[in-house]
Amino acid sequence: MITAFFLLSVTFPVLHLYHCLPFFRESEERKKAGAKLEEWMRDRGYKHEKGMSIVVPCFNEERIIETSIESMKTLAYSDFEVLYINDGSTDGTMVHLNRLLELKPCSVASLGKLSHENVKAVYQSKVFPNIYVIDKVNGGKADALNAGIEYSSKDLLITLDADTILTEKALSAVNQTFEDQNVVAAGGMVHVLQTKTDKPMSRLSLKMANMLVRVQVLDFLKAFYISKLSLVRFKALAVISGAFGIFDKQILLDVGGYRKTIGEDIDITLRIQQYIANHKHLKISFIADAVGYTELPETWKDLTKQRLRWQKAYVDCIIHFWGFFLKTLFTKPVSFFYVFETFLVGTLAAYAMTGIVIVNLINNPENSILDYMFFYLFFIFLFGVLYDLVALGMNKHHGFSFQKRDWFRLFWTIIFDILIFRFVSVYFVMYGSISYFFNKKWNKVDRTGRSYHKKDSTHAA
């Protein structure tokens, strides 16, 4: 029985492990121009720059907001605006925004199509005229994003977390992908901010990252370069990360904006997938060359908050979209993968396998312990190492590498991932699924307060 559950649990990871490999690239992935050629063509007027609105919801972000603003100054793109949505912060977020941007009141008309909490005032920066601040009554992240859509003026909308910073060429990569008129939404590549170096498009460092951050680095590489890349190719992506998402503004309006929920990024992606189900020429993409960095939790307390919220979001969406999933279970890849991979294998099977293990340990403890030790060491250990190594290989394929001194750290991180973090992740899934029905609070993760934009910052080598 336990062998059957194991084989079931690795079916989808093995599929993604295979399907993410470079020889499965689609035509649009192969024909992308290099960054230097793209820049040359744009500077000489051969490339049209699409207008982009970067929307950054902010609630109590005084510890990271300066890093965000500084990163906006480095973007090598001309036709973009930034909207910081102060969602009723109770700390010094608004004070910092005013100090850093030298704000002045301005008049900006809203579209009047999406509902959101009352906007108290709109400001424009005196020193950076393309940066605006929307000061509003607290309504939650989804509400703040709706306000950002309402007050944005460009055709493309980029949503970032306040602790996400974009690399210099990120918007150019976005512009290139959205030249395809059928692309209506996309996710960017998100690396871990604690690993950012002075060469953000080629080198990562684990020097200043603790073990918990390091294992999350592996987790992100697997999630983006294996799972998301594979799912996009299957046309089954269910989550455009809230840390860095890109959308055609019109489709956000067509689907009614963001729903107030604990997982607004999953929800909006699935509603766009519903829309695409009726407009079959449209598609969602993943832009590996559009790179951002986001801060990850450094303590078990904050990691638990984040991962429980993620699991609650998955449960919320399986309930909210159940009718759509059942109707299109065998006709739409997104429904098939969400129900079978995320819900049945990723969630329900965790309870079943845990129950089987406990029953066997109670009824036949001596033989069961030996059997499970051998089973785990031989099968799961071997597969876990392979999965981690492929993720590191895909990271290198996309132009990123770790320093030589990091390989020893990576070795111990892989061991930690397989022997400890995998079991903790199962706990997050099981506990988060149950707690969804009793507690739907957001549980915001604390920021570290580091000044990542400063050269003497201790976050990276």
Side-chain angles (χ1 to χ4, degrees), residues 140-291:
K141 187 176 180 181
D143 191 83
L145 288 167
N146 283 339
I149 298 170
E150 279 286 300
Y151 283 88
S152 64
S153 64
K154 308 296 184 180
D155 292 333
L156 289 182
L157 197 101
I158 297 176
T159 62
L160 302 180
D161 286 343
D163 61 346
T164 299
I165 66 174
L166 299 179
T167 52
E168 183 182 0
K169 306 294 185 182
L171 298 189
S172 295
V174 170
N175 187 63
Q176 189 175 359
T177 295
F178 277 82
E179 287 178 352
D180 183 345
Q181 299 298 316
N182 292 327
V183 176
V184 292
M189 176 59 205
V190 181
H191 281 290
V192 178
L193 190 52
Q194 287 95 325
T195 68
K196 183 176 176 291
T197 68
D198 56 357
K199 297 179 180 179
M201 285 301 295
S202 62
R203 185 162 61 89
L204 304 171
S205 173
L206 298 176
K207 182 180 179 180
M208 297 300 175
N210 63 25
M211 181 58 77
L212 194 56
V213 172
R214 292 173 190 173
V215 77
Q216 291 176 83
V217 171
L218 280 180
D219 218 28
F220 264 49
L221 294 181
K222 289 181 285 189
F224 283 86
Y225 284 141
I226 295 180
S227 297
K228 288 184 184 295
L229 188 56
S230 173
L231 287 169
V232 162
R233 291 171 180 173
F234 278 123
K235 295 179 173 54
L237 186 66
V239 189
I240 295 175
S241 173
F244 183 14
I246 311 104
F247 306 90
D248 184 300
K249 185 167 74 172
Q250 186 57 51
I251 199 168
L252 292 177
L253 294 171
D254 289 342
V255 300
Y258 285 83
R259 176 174 68 96
K260 287 189 178 182
T261 176
I262 197 169
E264 79 293 326
D265 51 355
I266 306 178
D267 183 83
I268 196 67
T269 308
L270 287 174
R271 284 197 286 130
I272 291 173
Q273 288 283 17
Q274 279 186 306
Y275 186 90
I276 290 174
N278 297 317
H279 302 80
K280 301 185 188 306
H281 62 288
L282 303 179
K283 58 185 176 182
I284 294 174
S285 184
F286 170 64
I287 314 174
D289 296 331
V291 177

Side-chain angles (χ1 to χ4, degrees), residues 418-438:
I418 295 169
L419 297 182
I420 298 176
F421 195 70
R422 298 290 175 92
F423 293 101
V424 176
S425 297
V426 172
Y427 162 78
F428 290 149
V429 168
M430 296 175 67
Y431 185 78
S433 299
I434 294 173
S435 63
Y436 165 79
F437 297 98
F438 303 96

Side-chain angles (χ1 to χ4, degrees), residues 391-410:
L392 292 170
M394 291 296 293
N395 184 58
K396 188 173 183 178
H397 170 76
H398 286 280
F400 289 88
S401 62
F402 290 94
Q403 297 173 312
K404 289 184 179 179
R405 71 192 77 166
D406 281 329
W407 285 103
F408 183 72
R409 300 181 182 113
L410 283 169

